[in-house]
Amino acid sequence: MIARADVTPTDERGGLDYIGPEFLTWLWWRSDADPRFVHPDGTEIFVHVDEHLEFRGERAASRRTVLRAGLPGASMDSRAARKSGKLVFAARLLIARGEDEVRFTRRAEDLEVSGVRLPAEESGDARERLECALERLERFWDDLDLCFATFLAQRTGGDWPRDVSSIRSWGA
């Protein structure tokens, strides 16, 4: 799930492949513990796991668990996957900012974002709708950057051992 706090893991190539699964696991934990993130300007966003979680074990596809629909993050299957040591490989997430909700999928392997669904703008001409969609897309990337920057600050900060303990307790 999350590496021990006193060890900085690297993959066999010396890379940081653990960051993606740790980020998604941390974000899932954070969505249960405190889903609120605050931008420097005071704008609040909320993050939730939405309708899809994919876990992978030691041998990737051969030890894969995919949960869809409902609230997979709260299911017994997700708890069993966590307890068995499987890592979050992909998650469908929801970021809410006021009335706007953006749904998207984030993969741990390369932190790729796909399937972004922005709120539809129904009023105005085509140009106004396009400008509104582009503004919403820019806000989405800002919100996603806030989540990742918050994770990195926690991950590299002195409170990480305490966070690891909390995540492990939550995972158990």
Side-chain angles (χ1 to χ4, degrees), residues 28-40:
W28 177 21
W29 165 73
R30 177 75 189 258
S31 74
D32 276 354
D34 179 13
R36 185 175 66 98
F37 290 81
V38 181
H39 280 280

Side-chain angles (χ1 to χ4, degrees), residues 61-109:
S62 65
R63 297 202 27 140
R64 193 172 116 175
T65 302
V66 179
L67 306 175
R68 293 188 175 98
L71 297 171
S75 72
M76 294 300 289
D77 291 333
S78 68
R79 289 185 196 141
R82 285 191 312 234
K83 285 182 181 180
S84 70
K86 290 182 180 178
L87 300 174
V88 179
F89 180 77
R92 183 89 177 146
L93 301 165
L94 177 143
I95 293 180
R97 176 193 275 251
E99 296 296 315
D100 286 347
E101 293 181 349
V102 178
R103 288 177 167 78
F104 62 100
T105 300
R106 187 101 198 224
R107 287 181 3 157
E109 184 175 58

Side-chain angles (χ1 to χ4, degrees), residues 78-166:
S78 68
R79 289 185 196 141
R82 285 191 312 234
K83 285 182 181 180
S84 70
K86 290 182 180 178
L87 300 174
V88 179
F89 180 77
R92 183 89 177 146
L93 301 165
L94 177 143
I95 293 180
R97 176 193 275 251
E99 296 296 315
D100 286 347
E101 293 181 349
V102 178
R103 288 177 167 78
F104 62 100
T105 300
R106 187 101 198 224
R107 287 181 3 157
E109 184 175 58
D110 51 11
L111 293 176
E112 177 182 302
V113 172
S114 63
V116 177
R117 288 194 330 226
L118 298 170
E121 181 62 43
E122 297 174 12
S123 62
D125 64 13
R127 182 178 180 88
E128 289 171 342
R129 288 193 310 271
L130 177 62
E131 288 173 356
C132 183
L134 292 173
E135 287 173 15
R136 286 181 168 160
L137 190 58
E138 185 176 359
R139 281 195 309 263
F140 161 70
W141 285 113
D142 288 344
D143 294 346
L144 198 53
D145 286 347
L146 172 67
C147 294
F148 194 59
T150 303
F151 164 71
L152 290 176
Q154 290 290 122
R155 181 64 175 87
T156 59
D159 289 339
W160 185 245
R162 183 178 45 106
D163 291 342
V164 168
S165 177
S166 295

